[in-house]
PDB file of all heavy atoms in Angstrom:
ATOM      1  N   ARG J  19       5.696  -2.770  -3.314  1.00 51.00           N
ATOM      2  CA  ARG J  19       5.953  -4.091  -2.658  1.00 51.00           C
ATOM      3  C   ARG J  19       6.937  -4.857  -3.510  1.00 51.00           C
ATOM      4  O   ARG J  19       6.552  -5.492  -4.486  1.00 51.00           O
ATOM      5  CB  ARG J  19       4.666  -4.877  -2.520  1.00 51.00           C
ATOM      6  CG  ARG J  19       3.755  -4.349  -1.447  1.00 51.00           C
ATOM      7  CD  ARG J  19       2.542  -5.221  -1.238  1.00 51.00           C
ATOM      8  NE  ARG J  19       1.745  -4.721  -0.152  1.00 51.00           N
ATOM      9  CZ  ARG J  19       0.481  -5.120   0.078  1.00 51.00           C
ATOM     10  NH1 ARG J  19      -0.111  -5.972  -0.746  1.00 51.00           N
ATOM     11  NH2 ARG J  19      -0.167  -4.654   1.082  1.00 51.00           N
ATOM     12  N   GLU J  36     -17.808   5.896 -14.357  1.00 98.00           N
ATOM     13  CA  GLU J  36     -17.902   6.253 -12.936  1.00 98.00           C
ATOM     14  C   GLU J  36     -16.496   6.553 -12.430  1.00 98.00           C
ATOM     15  O   GLU J  36     -15.665   5.621 -12.367  1.00 98.00           O
ATOM     16  CB  GLU J  36     -18.630   5.177 -12.109  1.00 98.00           C
ATOM     17  CG  GLU J  36     -19.403   5.729 -10.918  1.00 98.00           C
ATOM     18  CD  GLU J  36     -18.522   6.338  -9.812  1.00 98.00           C
ATOM     19  OE1 GLU J  36     -17.358   5.946  -9.659  1.00 98.00           O
ATOM     20  OE2 GLU J  36     -19.015   7.207  -9.049  1.00 98.00           O
ATOM     21  N   TYR J  42     -10.094   4.384  -8.352  1.00 98.00           N
ATOM     22  CA  TYR J  42      -9.664   3.727  -7.146  1.00 98.00           C
ATOM     23  C   TYR J  42      -8.933   2.366  -7.474  1.00 98.00           C
ATOM     24  O   TYR J  42      -7.840   2.208  -6.993  1.00 98.00           O
ATOM     25  CB  TYR J  42     -10.825   3.511  -6.126  1.00 98.00           C
ATOM     26  CG  TYR J  42     -10.266   2.907  -4.835  1.00 98.00           C
ATOM     27  CD1 TYR J  42      -9.471   3.686  -4.028  1.00 98.00           C
ATOM     28  CD2 TYR J  42     -10.463   1.593  -4.512  1.00 98.00           C
ATOM     29  CE1 TYR J  42      -8.906   3.187  -2.868  1.00 98.00           C
ATOM     30  CE2 TYR J  42      -9.875   1.037  -3.337  1.00 98.00           C
ATOM     31  CZ  TYR J  42      -9.110   1.857  -2.545  1.00 98.00           C
ATOM     32  OH  TYR J  42      -8.530   1.326  -1.398  1.00 98.00           O
ATOM     33  N   ARG J  46      -4.940   1.718  -6.935  1.00 98.00           N
ATOM     34  CA  ARG J  46      -4.656   0.626  -5.993  1.00 98.00           C
ATOM     35  C   ARG J  46      -3.723  -0.431  -6.641  1.00 98.00           C
ATOM     36  O   ARG J  46      -2.830  -0.953  -5.954  1.00 98.00           O
ATOM     37  CB  ARG J  46      -5.979   0.028  -5.615  1.00 98.00           C
ATOM     38  CG  ARG J  46      -5.864  -0.997  -4.540  1.00 98.00           C
ATOM     39  CD  ARG J  46      -5.411  -0.371  -3.246  1.00 98.00           C
ATOM     40  NE  ARG J  46      -5.287  -1.403  -2.193  1.00 98.00           N
ATOM     41  CZ  ARG J  46      -4.149  -2.152  -2.064  1.00 98.00           C
ATOM     42  NH1 ARG J  46      -3.122  -2.014  -2.821  1.00 98.00           N
ATOM     43  NH2 ARG J  46      -4.131  -3.035  -1.064  1.00 98.00           N
ATOM     44  N   GLU J  49      -0.443   1.064  -6.792  1.00 98.00           N
ATOM     45  CA  GLU J  49       0.182   1.042  -5.439  1.00 98.00           C
ATOM     46  C   GLU J  49       0.957  -0.272  -5.270  1.00 98.00           C
ATOM     47  O   GLU J  49       1.930  -0.315  -4.523  1.00 98.00           O
ATOM     48  CB  GLU J  49      -0.899   1.193  -4.367  1.00 98.00           C
ATOM     49  CG  GLU J  49      -0.361   1.358  -2.966  1.00 98.00           C
ATOM     50  CD  GLU J  49      -1.409   1.352  -1.891  1.00 98.00           C
ATOM     51  OE1 GLU J  49      -2.481   2.047  -2.060  1.00 98.00           O
ATOM     52  OE2 GLU J  49      -1.215   0.681  -0.843  1.00 98.00           O
ATOM     53  N   HIS J  69     -18.870  12.381 -13.053  1.00 97.00           N
ATOM     54  CA  HIS J  69     -18.761  13.580 -12.223  1.00 97.00           C
ATOM     55  C   HIS J  69     -17.746  14.579 -12.796  1.00 97.00           C
ATOM     56  O   HIS J  69     -17.515  15.604 -12.219  1.00 97.00           O
ATOM     57  CB  HIS J  69     -18.452  13.222 -10.817  1.00 97.00           C
ATOM     58  CG  HIS J  69     -19.497  12.378 -10.170  1.00 97.00           C
ATOM     59  ND1 HIS J  69     -20.678  12.925  -9.694  1.00 97.00           N
ATOM     60  CD2 HIS J  69     -19.588  11.073  -9.910  1.00 97.00           C
ATOM     61  CE1 HIS J  69     -21.441  12.006  -9.191  1.00 97.00           C
ATOM     62  NE2 HIS J  69     -20.804  10.860  -9.323  1.00 97.00           N
ATOM     63  N   TYR J  71     -14.273  13.795 -13.655  1.00 98.00           N
ATOM     64  CA  TYR J  71     -12.846  13.562 -13.538  1.00 98.00           C
ATOM     65  C   TYR J  71     -12.257  13.099 -14.883  1.00 98.00           C
ATOM     66  O   TYR J  71     -12.787  12.138 -15.488  1.00 98.00           O
ATOM     67  CB  TYR J  71     -12.543  12.527 -12.490  1.00 98.00           C
ATOM     68  CG  TYR J  71     -11.183  12.831 -11.840  1.00 98.00           C
ATOM     69  CD1 TYR J  71     -11.107  13.619 -10.685  1.00 98.00           C
ATOM     70  CD2 TYR J  71     -10.012  12.414 -12.397  1.00 98.00           C
ATOM     71  CE1 TYR J  71      -9.854  13.967 -10.112  1.00 98.00           C
ATOM     72  CE2 TYR J  71      -8.758  12.752 -11.853  1.00 98.00           C
ATOM     73  CZ  TYR J  71      -8.713  13.527 -10.670  1.00 98.00           C
ATOM     74  OH  TYR J  71      -7.492  13.862 -10.143  1.00 98.00           O
ATOM     75  N   ARG J 184      -9.528  -4.697  -3.169  1.00 98.00           N
ATOM     76  CA  ARG J 184      -8.786  -5.710  -2.418  1.00 98.00           C
ATOM     77  C   ARG J 184      -8.998  -7.090  -3.006  1.00 98.00           C
ATOM     78  O   ARG J 184      -8.040  -7.897  -3.071  1.00 98.00           O
ATOM     79  CB  ARG J 184      -9.202  -5.671  -0.913  1.00 98.00           C
ATOM     80  CG  ARG J 184      -8.508  -6.667  -0.009  1.00 98.00           C
ATOM     81  CD  ARG J 184      -7.007  -6.425   0.128  1.00 98.00           C
ATOM     82  NE  ARG J 184      -6.638  -5.246   0.721  1.00 98.00           N
ATOM     83  CZ  ARG J 184      -6.319  -4.991   2.013  1.00 98.00           C
ATOM     84  NH1 ARG J 184      -6.254  -6.009   2.817  1.00 98.00           N
ATOM     85  NH2 ARG J 184      -5.991  -3.806   2.434  1.00 98.00           N
TER      86      ARG J 184
ATOM     87  N   ARG W  19      -8.792  -6.482   6.868  1.00 51.00           N
ATOM     88  CA  ARG W  19      -7.662  -7.136   7.487  1.00 51.00           C
ATOM     89  C   ARG W  19      -7.956  -7.304   8.934  1.00 51.00           C
ATOM     90  O   ARG W  19      -7.754  -6.395   9.728  1.00 51.00           O
ATOM     91  CB  ARG W  19      -6.382  -6.351   7.288  1.00 51.00           C
ATOM     92  CG  ARG W  19      -5.837  -6.454   5.888  1.00 51.00           C
ATOM     93  CD  ARG W  19      -4.561  -5.657   5.747  1.00 51.00           C
ATOM     94  NE  ARG W  19      -3.961  -5.824   4.423  1.00 51.00           N
ATOM     95  CZ  ARG W  19      -3.017  -5.104   3.929  1.00 51.00           C
ATOM     96  NH1 ARG W  19      -2.481  -4.116   4.654  1.00 51.00           N
ATOM     97  NH2 ARG W  19      -2.536  -5.270   2.737  1.00 51.00           N
ATOM     98  N   GLU W  36      -9.394  18.535  -4.248  1.00 98.00           N
ATOM     99  CA  GLU W  36      -8.972  17.679  -5.323  1.00 98.00           C
ATOM    100  C   GLU W  36      -9.596  16.293  -5.091  1.00 98.00           C
ATOM    101  O   GLU W  36      -9.276  15.584  -4.122  1.00 98.00           O
ATOM    102  CB  GLU W  36      -7.440  17.586  -5.414  1.00 98.00           C
ATOM    103  CG  GLU W  36      -6.866  17.380  -6.836  1.00 98.00           C
ATOM    104  CD  GLU W  36      -7.242  15.987  -7.455  1.00 98.00           C
ATOM    105  OE1 GLU W  36      -7.405  15.035  -6.686  1.00 98.00           O
ATOM    106  OE2 GLU W  36      -7.284  15.921  -8.669  1.00 98.00           O
ATOM    107  N   TYR W  42      -9.051   8.733  -2.829  1.00 98.00           N
ATOM    108  CA  TYR W  42      -8.135   7.598  -2.848  1.00 98.00           C
ATOM    109  C   TYR W  42      -7.655   7.234  -1.441  1.00 98.00           C
ATOM    110  O   TYR W  42      -7.890   6.082  -0.989  1.00 98.00           O
ATOM    111  CB  TYR W  42      -6.973   7.765  -3.822  1.00 98.00           C
ATOM    112  CG  TYR W  42      -6.192   6.467  -3.911  1.00 98.00           C
ATOM    113  CD1 TYR W  42      -6.749   5.334  -4.465  1.00 98.00           C
ATOM    114  CD2 TYR W  42      -4.950   6.324  -3.256  1.00 98.00           C
ATOM    115  CE1 TYR W  42      -6.050   4.101  -4.499  1.00 98.00           C
ATOM    116  CE2 TYR W  42      -4.265   5.144  -3.268  1.00 98.00           C
ATOM    117  CZ  TYR W  42      -4.820   4.026  -3.913  1.00 98.00           C
ATOM    118  OH  TYR W  42      -4.155   2.806  -3.874  1.00 98.00           O
ATOM    119  N   GLU W  49     -10.451   0.448   3.190  1.00 98.00           N
ATOM    120  CA  GLU W  49     -10.037  -0.927   2.774  1.00 98.00           C
ATOM    121  C   GLU W  49      -9.310  -1.627   3.897  1.00 98.00           C
ATOM    122  O   GLU W  49      -9.424  -2.875   4.005  1.00 98.00           O
ATOM    123  CB  GLU W  49      -9.131  -0.840   1.513  1.00 98.00           C
ATOM    124  CG  GLU W  49      -8.811  -2.182   0.927  1.00 98.00           C
ATOM    125  CD  GLU W  49      -7.813  -2.113  -0.215  1.00 98.00           C
ATOM    126  OE1 GLU W  49      -7.919  -1.194  -1.078  1.00 98.00           O
ATOM    127  OE2 GLU W  49      -6.906  -2.948  -0.229  1.00 98.00           O
ATOM    128  N   HIS W  69     -13.107  18.627  -9.815  1.00 97.00           N
ATOM    129  CA  HIS W  69     -13.626  18.056 -11.067  1.00 97.00           C
ATOM    130  C   HIS W  69     -15.099  17.679 -10.954  1.00 97.00           C
ATOM    131  O   HIS W  69     -15.663  17.186 -11.852  1.00 97.00           O
ATOM    132  CB  HIS W  69     -12.833  16.832 -11.486  1.00 97.00           C
ATOM    133  CG  HIS W  69     -11.375  17.138 -11.813  1.00 97.00           C
ATOM    134  ND1 HIS W  69     -10.985  17.752 -12.984  1.00 97.00           N
ATOM    135  CD2 HIS W  69     -10.248  17.021 -11.074  1.00 97.00           C
ATOM    136  CE1 HIS W  69      -9.666  17.913 -12.982  1.00 97.00           C
ATOM    137  NE2 HIS W  69      -9.245  17.499 -11.835  1.00 97.00           N
ATOM    138  N   TYR W  71     -16.626  15.727  -8.226  1.00 98.00           N
ATOM    139  CA  TYR W  71     -17.059  14.574  -7.472  1.00 98.00           C
ATOM    140  C   TYR W  71     -17.595  15.011  -6.114  1.00 98.00           C
ATOM    141  O   TYR W  71     -17.001  15.808  -5.429  1.00 98.00           O
ATOM    142  CB  TYR W  71     -15.922  13.554  -7.222  1.00 98.00           C
ATOM    143  CG  TYR W  71     -16.444  12.151  -7.165  1.00 98.00           C
ATOM    144  CD1 TYR W  71     -16.546  11.364  -8.268  1.00 98.00           C
ATOM    145  CD2 TYR W  71     -16.969  11.669  -5.957  1.00 98.00           C
ATOM    146  CE1 TYR W  71     -17.094  10.062  -8.200  1.00 98.00           C
ATOM    147  CE2 TYR W  71     -17.575  10.385  -5.930  1.00 98.00           C
ATOM    148  CZ  TYR W  71     -17.597   9.603  -7.028  1.00 98.00           C
ATOM    149  OH  TYR W  71     -18.129   8.355  -6.974  1.00 98.00           O
ATOM    150  N   ARG W 184      -0.108   4.551   0.693  1.00 98.00           N
ATOM    151  CA  ARG W 184       0.640   3.467   1.312  1.00 98.00           C
ATOM    152  C   ARG W 184       1.421   3.961   2.466  1.00 98.00           C
ATOM    153  O   ARG W 184       1.602   3.292   3.503  1.00 98.00           O
ATOM    154  CB  ARG W 184       1.541   2.767   0.253  1.00 98.00           C
ATOM    155  CG  ARG W 184       2.399   1.645   0.749  1.00 98.00           C
ATOM    156  CD  ARG W 184       1.615   0.397   1.268  1.00 98.00           C
ATOM    157  NE  ARG W 184       0.795  -0.198   0.255  1.00 98.00           N
ATOM    158  CZ  ARG W 184       1.119  -1.283  -0.426  1.00 98.00           C
ATOM    159  NH1 ARG W 184       2.257  -1.932  -0.197  1.00 98.00           N
ATOM    160  NH2 ARG W 184       0.304  -1.784  -1.311  1.00 98.00           N
TER     161      ARG W 184
END
Side-chain angles (χ1 to χ4, degrees):
Chain J
R19 284 183 176 166
E36 210 292 333
Y42 186 69
R46 187 64 182 86
E49 188 187 317
H69 297 283
Y71 212 93
R184 180 63 63 100
Chain W
R19 284 181 176 167
E36 211 292 333
Y42 186 69
E49 187 186 316
H69 298 283
Y71 212 92
R184 180 63 61 100

